[in-house]
């Protein structure tokens, strides 16, 4: 979006937009002053910060009351970007926290910010002709000027020990915040359990604590998926703000990645628009976009060994030329096997197969599929205790029915109020700080509610007796956090297989199920959409994937049921295409080691304790094993994807570009310092399984 000035929005900006922008300001201000309160050692300075937080939260309540009286209006992406840029341009809470933490310095800063906010609101007065609308803007101006006057006249904090209860009541409003611009400073940690990833942006698949001085967050890349790249950028930005991340290693590049060519676009809005275009087209990744469009001091590093990558790229491009022949054969096999299910499968197997297909196609919600498998397991005497993570999830879903989430919110507010009346002044500041930190995604739900539970116990308060729904929610949240999401999806497949085994009534049924899985694995192989465990299975059972095994079964059963199938012949071209993709994956496994070693070497060379390593999901299992062997802690995260979108991944890998990219590349804009590695990452789409529909979040 090219930045426009305020006057050009006459007729497009509504009064509700201005009030929404006001909320953005107040949220950023409250977060900023909370960060100062956390750092300030002087009691007077800390008190002043608490007063400023209280004032900002009070104003949030007033703004939301006004908005509640009007017809709801969403702040669209273009409007949000416009206001965000306006606030940045005017320097409204858009810089790092001040280093001068004296009461006087904080007061002067607050006065300066107040004057900037007044100027911001005044800039919108002339775009409204209606007197009543201008009067509402005047209300915002008066409120801000009153705060400036208070600070200018007295420079004295108005927070007192007796005001704590009021602060506790108002603090509940913090849970209405959206993400804000500032995080509360904290020293770097290499403990995976203390790293919080917003569930809006990603799902933690697994983690391992080696009690080491290094931590690598492996983000599973969904190559060229725009939504995934946006969420990866947000995750990296959050890690940079909250945990001091300054090093990101990326698959598909070799050595330092230089994005300075985008500096040719001196206008910040134009540069962002150009970078967004290239990210949509798959030419740059989320971390590269973040580096181009923000001032975060993040080093981007290509973690590949060039010779391995180029060997893999050659294997892919040569195999891709033969993909149509392999596809023609494989899909004819798949169609024949699906048709045979109508004659060979029992009704129970058909239902199980249909539900699995609906879930895989994202036509069935995750929780609904889990409950279906649970019911089928009970019906067929399949014990779920041997599937640890699935068993935990099933029990969580049962337990969830006993929780009134609306009551949980009310009880949490009541607990905060009660605690604010018992805690010391420093304790109230800590509670506010932790609450904001939790809302910003800086600490996990388990850590936050664990703090509340401990604070209540230390002050003689029985949560289970006085706040039963909140107590149940804390237990629910704690158990959910112990689920290994990576192994959960393995458990789901294993449970389905165990149910199938219970209801098989013939060897033909069993063989048909097996061959259907084999066909899916081969299709994944030639489509570079195979996960690590499927590759391991394929390599261990390769003889069972022979074309003769498929053709013999299909031919025998077609004759048995009087059917005729047009199965495509297994040509030399199809066989060669599959063979080349086998080589492609063999090299991809070798690249796991290179990615880990190169990342760790660069971390050691530059003294980085925390790093992000962005790879395709295929690499995650191999990377995790290598990190554990090296005694390095890790977290595996997949970006949130809420909708299916066409991906330009294959077009980018095969160097198919539209005229805009061709012109830009001709002028050197997208070189990005990738060295010899021109295309983006290879292999491994992220896990396709959907995340649970409802999981513990920022309640």
């Amino acid at each position: 979006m090219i930045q426009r000035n305020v006057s050009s929005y006459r007729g497009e900006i509504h009064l509700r937009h201005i009030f929404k922008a006001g909320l953005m300001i107040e949220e950023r201000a409250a977060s900023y002053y909370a960060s100062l309160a956390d750092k300030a050692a002087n009691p007077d300075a800390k008190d002043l910060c608490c007063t400023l937080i209280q004032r900002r939260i009070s104003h949030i309540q007033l703004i939301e009351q006004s908005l509640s009286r009007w017809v709801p209006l969403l702040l669209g992406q273009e409007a949000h970007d416009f206001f965000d840029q306006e606030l940045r341009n005017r320097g409204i809470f858009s810089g790092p926290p001040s280093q001068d933490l004296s009461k006087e310095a904080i007061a002067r800063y607050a006065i300066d910010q107040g004057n900037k906010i007044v100027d911001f609101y005044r800039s919108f007065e002339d775009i409204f002709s209606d007197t009543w609308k201008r009067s509402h803007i005047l209300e915002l101006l008066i409120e801000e000027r009153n705060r400036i006057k208070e600070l200018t006249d007295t420079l004295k904090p108005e927070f007192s020990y007796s005001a704590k209860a009021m602060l506790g009541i108002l603090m509940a409003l913090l849970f209405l915040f959206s993400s804000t611009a500032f995080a509360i400073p904290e020293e770097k940690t290499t403990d995976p359990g203390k790293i919080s990833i917003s569930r809006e942006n990603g799902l933690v698949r697994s983690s391992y604590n080696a009690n080491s001085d290094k931590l690598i967050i492996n983000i599973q890349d969904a190559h060229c998926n725009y939504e995934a790249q946006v969420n990866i950028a947000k995750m990296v930005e959050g890690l940079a703000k909250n945990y001091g991340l300054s090093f990101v290693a990326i698959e598909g590049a070799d050595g330092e990645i230089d994005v300075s060519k985008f500096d040719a676009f001196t206008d910040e809005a134009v540069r962002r628009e150009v970078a967004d275009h290239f990210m949509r087209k798959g030419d740059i990744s989320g971390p590269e976009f973040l580096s181009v469009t923000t001032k975060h001091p993040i080093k981007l590093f290509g973690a590949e060994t060039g010779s391995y990558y180029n060997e893999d790229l050659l294997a892919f491009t040569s195999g891709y030329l033969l993909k149509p022949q392999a596809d023609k054969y494989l899909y004819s096999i798949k169609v024949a096997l699906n048709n045979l299910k109508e004659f060979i499968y029992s009704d129970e197997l058909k239902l199980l197969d249909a539900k699995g297909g609906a879930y895989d196609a994202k036509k069935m919600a995750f929780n609904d599929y889990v409950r279906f498998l649970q019911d089928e397991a009970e019906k067929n005497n399949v014990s779920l205790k041997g599937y640890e993570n699935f068993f935990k999830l099933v029990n969580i879903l049962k337990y969830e029915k006993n929780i009134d989430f609306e009551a949980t919110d009310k009880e949490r507010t009541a607990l905060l109020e009660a605690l604010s009346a018992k805690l010391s002044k420093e304790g109230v500041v800590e509670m506010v700080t932790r609450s904001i930190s939790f809302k910003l995604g800086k600490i996990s739900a388990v850590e936050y509610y664990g703090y509340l539970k401990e604070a209540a116990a230390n002050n003689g308060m029985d949560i289970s007796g006085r706040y039963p729904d909140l107590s149940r929610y804390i237990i629910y949240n704690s158990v959910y956090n112990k689920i290994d999401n990576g192994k959960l999806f393995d458990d789901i497949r294993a449970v389905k297989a165990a149910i199938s085994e219970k209801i098989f009534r013939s060897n033909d049924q069993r063989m048909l199920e097996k061959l259907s899985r084999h066909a899916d694995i081969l299709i994944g192989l030639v489509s570079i959409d195979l996960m690590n465990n499927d590759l391991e299975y394929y390599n261990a059972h390769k003889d069972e994937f022979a074309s003769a095994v498929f053709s013999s079964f299909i031919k025998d059963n077609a004759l048995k049921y009087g059917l005729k199938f047009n199965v495509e012949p297994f040509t030399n071209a199809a066989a060669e295409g599959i063979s080349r993709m086998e080589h492609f994956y063999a090299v991809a496994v070798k690249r796991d080691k290179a990615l880990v070693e190169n990342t760790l070497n660069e971390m050691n060379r530059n003294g980085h304790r925390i790093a992000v390593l962005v790879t395709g999901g295929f690499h995650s299992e191999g990377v995790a094993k290598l990190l554990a062997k090296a005694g390095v802690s890790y977290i595996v995260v997949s970006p949130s994807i809420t909708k299916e979108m066409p991906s330009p991944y294959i077009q980018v890998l095969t160097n198919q570009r539209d005229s805009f990219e061709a012109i830009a590349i001709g002028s050197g804009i997208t070189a990005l310092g990738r060295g010899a590695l021109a295309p983006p990452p290879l292999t491994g789409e992220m896990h396709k399984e959907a995340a649970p529909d409802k999981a513990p979040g920022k309640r």
Side-chain angles (χ1 to χ4, degrees):
M1 180 192 76
I2 296 176
Q3 191 69 26
R4 296 161 57 183
N5 59 38
V6 171
S7 61
S8 70
Y9 276 93
R10 185 184 296 273
E12 296 181 40
I13 289 183
H14 297 270
L15 183 62
R16 286 160 290 178
H17 285 139
I18 310 300
F19 273 66
K20 290 275 190 179
L23 282 180
M24 292 171 63
I25 292 171
E26 302 302 332
E27 291 165 3
R28 294 181 184 195
S31 178
Y32 184 93
Y33 293 128
S35 70
L36 294 186
D38 188 53
K39 292 168 60 179
N42 181 280
D44 289 340
K46 196 179 287 285
D47 279 353
L48 176 57
C49 290
C50 289
T51 299
L52 293 170
I53 293 170
Q54 183 180 349
R55 295 288 188 269
R56 293 296 171 182
I57 294 176
S58 297
H59 204 206
I60 286 174
Q61 188 177 30
L62 293 174
I63 291 175
E64 290 185 334
Q65 284 175 355
S66 294
L67 286 170
S68 68
R69 293 195 296 268
W70 300 330
V71 177
L73 179 67
L74 292 176
L75 189 63
Q77 189 62 47
E78 182 176 0
H80 179 278
D81 290 347
F82 166 73
F83 285 120
D84 181 67
Q85 191 60 50
E86 274 291 302
L87 297 179
R88 290 177 185 275
N89 290 345
R90 293 173 181 273
I92 298 176
F93 299 106
S94 59
S98 171
Q99 298 303 307
D100 187 345
L101 298 177
S102 67
K103 183 186 78 170
E104 291 75 15
I106 293 172
R108 285 194 298 270
Y109 178 84
I111 291 169
D112 178 63
Q113 288 295 303
N115 286 323
K116 289 178 178 179
I117 295 169
V118 167
D119 289 341
F120 171 77
Y121 286 138
R122 288 186 63 184
S123 69
F124 291 97
E125 282 185 301
D126 292 337
I127 70 171
F128 295 116
S129 56
D130 294 339
T131 303
W132 74 271
K133 291 182 180 179
R134 294 166 68 97
S135 69
H136 278 293
I137 293 181
L138 183 60
E139 289 176 8
L140 296 174
L141 286 167
I142 291 172
E143 179 69 21
E144 197 62 44
R145 284 171 176 155
N146 286 339
R147 277 183 284 193
I148 294 171
K149 187 175 185 302
E150 288 175 3
L151 288 163
T152 304
D153 287 347
T154 64
L155 283 179
K156 294 179 181 178
E158 295 183 5
F159 181 92
S160 65
Y161 190 75
S162 61
K164 290 184 303 179
M166 178 59 71
L167 180 58
I169 295 170
L170 294 174
M171 195 178 65
L173 294 170
L174 293 170
F175 289 85
L176 300 173
F177 282 11
S178 57
S179 295
T180 59
F182 296 97
I184 298 164
E186 179 179 304
E187 292 186 10
K188 295 179 181 179
T189 176
T190 57
D191 181 353
K194 293 186 177 180
I195 299 292
S196 179
I197 303 291
S198 170
R199 282 192 58 84
E200 294 177 2
N201 304 135
L203 174 70
V204 174
R205 295 277 174 178
S206 61
S207 64
Y208 170 72
N209 189 353
N211 295 313
S212 66
D213 63 347
K214 289 185 178 65
L215 171 66
I216 290 181
I217 299 107
N218 176 208
I219 298 181
Q220 297 179 324
D221 199 1
H223 303 314
C224 300
N225 181 293
Y226 177 72
E227 184 184 11
Q229 299 310 314
V230 169
N231 282 320
I232 290 172
K234 289 179 178 178
M235 283 190 282
V236 171
E237 185 171 27
L239 291 166
K241 289 179 178 179
N242 297 336
Y243 306 103
L245 172 74
S246 60
F247 177 65
V248 178
I250 300 176
E251 175 194 1
D254 182 5
E256 186 170 350
I257 298 174
D258 179 17
V259 297
S260 62
K261 289 181 173 65
F262 280 90
D263 292 343
F265 301 97
T266 55
D267 184 283
E268 186 176 332
V270 172
R271 185 167 63 252
R272 184 182 185 87
E273 184 177 12
V274 172
D276 183 79
H277 173 84
F278 282 114
M279 186 165 68
R280 287 179 184 274
K281 302 300 291 185
D283 284 320
I284 67 173
S285 65
E288 289 167 317
F289 173 82
L290 181 68
S291 183
V292 169
T293 58
T294 69
K295 294 181 172 61
H296 293 296
I298 295 175
K299 178 181 180 181
L300 300 179
F301 173 76
E304 296 279 5
T305 293
S307 58
Y308 287 164
Y309 180 89
N310 288 329
E311 181 182 356
D312 226 7
L313 182 60
L314 179 62
F316 166 75
T317 52
S318 61
Y320 183 74
L321 294 174
L322 300 173
K323 186 175 183 294
Q325 289 87 341
D327 280 346
K328 189 179 293 184
Y329 162 71
L330 292 172
Y331 280 102
S332 69
I333 290 290
K334 185 69 176 173
V335 168
L337 293 174
N338 283 341
N339 286 334
L340 282 173
K341 290 176 182 178
E342 287 296 317
F343 298 89
I344 296 176
Y345 272 4
S346 64
D347 288 343
E348 289 176 297
L349 281 171
K350 288 177 185 177
L351 177 63
L352 187 63
D353 185 65
K355 294 293 186 181
Y359 166 66
D360 289 339
K362 297 186 178 179
K363 294 180 179 178
M364 185 176 191
F366 176 84
N367 286 358
D368 290 341
Y369 186 56
V370 168
R371 291 188 178 99
F372 167 76
L373 290 178
Q374 177 194 353
D375 291 343
E376 291 298 304
E378 291 178 359
K379 188 188 303 180
N380 292 283
N381 297 316
V382 174
S383 173
L384 297 177
K385 291 183 179 179
Y387 309 94
E388 179 183 357
N389 292 282
F390 186 83
F391 185 68
K392 287 178 182 176
L393 180 61
V394 165
N395 283 294
I396 281 175
L397 294 177
K398 289 179 180 177
Y399 192 72
E400 181 183 272
K401 295 178 181 178
N402 298 319
I403 301 173
D404 183 331
F405 288 97
E406 186 175 344
T408 297
D409 290 337
K410 293 178 180 178
E411 289 180 2
R412 185 199 58 242
T413 300
L415 174 62
L416 293 173
E417 292 176 14
L419 279 173
S420 69
K422 288 178 174 287
L423 292 171
S424 66
K425 187 185 301 183
E426 290 73 20
V428 172
V429 171
E430 181 184 7
M431 185 167 65
V432 172
T433 300
R434 285 181 180 263
S435 297
I436 295 175
S437 188
F438 169 57
K439 189 56 192 176
L440 295 176
K442 187 177 184 301
I443 63 174
S444 68
V446 170
E447 184 176 349
Y448 177 66
Y449 284 105
Y451 156 76
L452 288 183
K453 185 177 180 180
E454 183 179 354
N458 290 340
N459 285 275
M461 300 168 65
D462 177 18
I463 288 185
S464 61
R466 294 176 61 180
Y467 311 104
D469 280 286
L470 178 61
S471 177
R472 284 191 286 269
Y473 177 76
I474 291 173
I475 295 171
Y476 164 80
N477 190 73
S478 176
V479 175
Y480 181 85
N481 192 62
K482 294 176 182 176
I483 293 177
D484 184 319
N485 284 295
K487 293 179 181 178
L488 169 63
F489 295 110
D490 292 338
D491 281 357
I492 288 173
R493 283 186 285 269
V495 168
K496 181 176 182 289
I499 296 169
S500 297
E501 191 59 40
K502 284 282 188 177
I503 56 182
F504 284 144
R505 296 293 179 265
S506 70
N507 287 332
D508 279 349
Q509 290 178 345
R510 188 174 286 104
M511 189 63 173
L512 179 53
E513 172 104 342
K514 183 177 182 179
L515 290 180
S516 294
R517 182 191 176 194
H518 288 187
D520 287 336
I521 288 174
L522 285 171
I523 290 170
L525 181 79
V526 301
S527 302
I528 58 168
D529 197 18
L530 203 60
M531 297 309 297
N532 195 284
N533 54 358
D534 285 333
L535 179 65
E536 289 180 356
Y537 176 87
Y538 174 75
N539 287 330
H541 302 84
K542 194 174 293 185
D543 290 346
E544 300 173 30
F545 286 77
S547 62
V549 177
F550 288 105
S551 60
S552 175
F553 180 84
I554 292 171
K555 182 178 179 180
D556 289 349
N557 281 281
L559 186 63
K560 180 178 179 179
Y561 294 104
L563 305 172
K564 184 176 181 180
F565 297 118
N566 295 318
V567 176
E568 294 290 333
F570 187 57
T571 63
N572 290 335
E576 180 63 20
I578 291 173
S579 176
R580 291 180 184 181
M581 295 313 293
E582 288 175 357
H583 178 63
F584 166 83
Y585 274 101
V587 179
V589 172
K590 289 195 299 183
R591 286 171 53 216
D592 290 348
K593 186 177 181 181
L595 290 167
V596 169
E597 289 181 348
N598 292 339
T599 299
L600 288 175
N601 287 340
E602 192 68 14
M603 289 176 74
N604 290 331
R605 188 176 300 116
N606 293 281
H608 297 294
R609 298 176 61 210
I610 305 175
V612 161
L613 173 59
V614 183
T615 70
F618 171 83
H619 294 288
S620 289
E621 187 172 338
V623 165
K625 289 178 180 177
L626 290 166
L627 289 175
K629 186 176 180 181
V632 177
S633 299
Y634 66 78
I635 303 172
V636 179
V637 188
S638 59
S640 295
I641 300 177
T642 60
K643 48 186 175 292
E644 292 290 330
M645 297 177 65
S647 170
Y649 185 42
I650 298 299
Q651 289 89 331
V652 172
L653 281 178
T654 53
N655 214 26
Q656 302 173 43
R657 306 179 188 274
D658 65 26
S659 58
F660 185 82
E661 279 92 45
I663 293 170
I665 290 172
S667 64
I669 290 175
T670 62
L672 295 185
R674 288 184 182 271
L677 312 186
L682 291 168
T683 77
E685 292 300 322
M686 58 169 282
H687 288 286
K688 290 182 176 179
E689 295 92 338
D693 299 326
K694 182 188 288 185
K698 297 175 186 172
R699 297 202 64 82

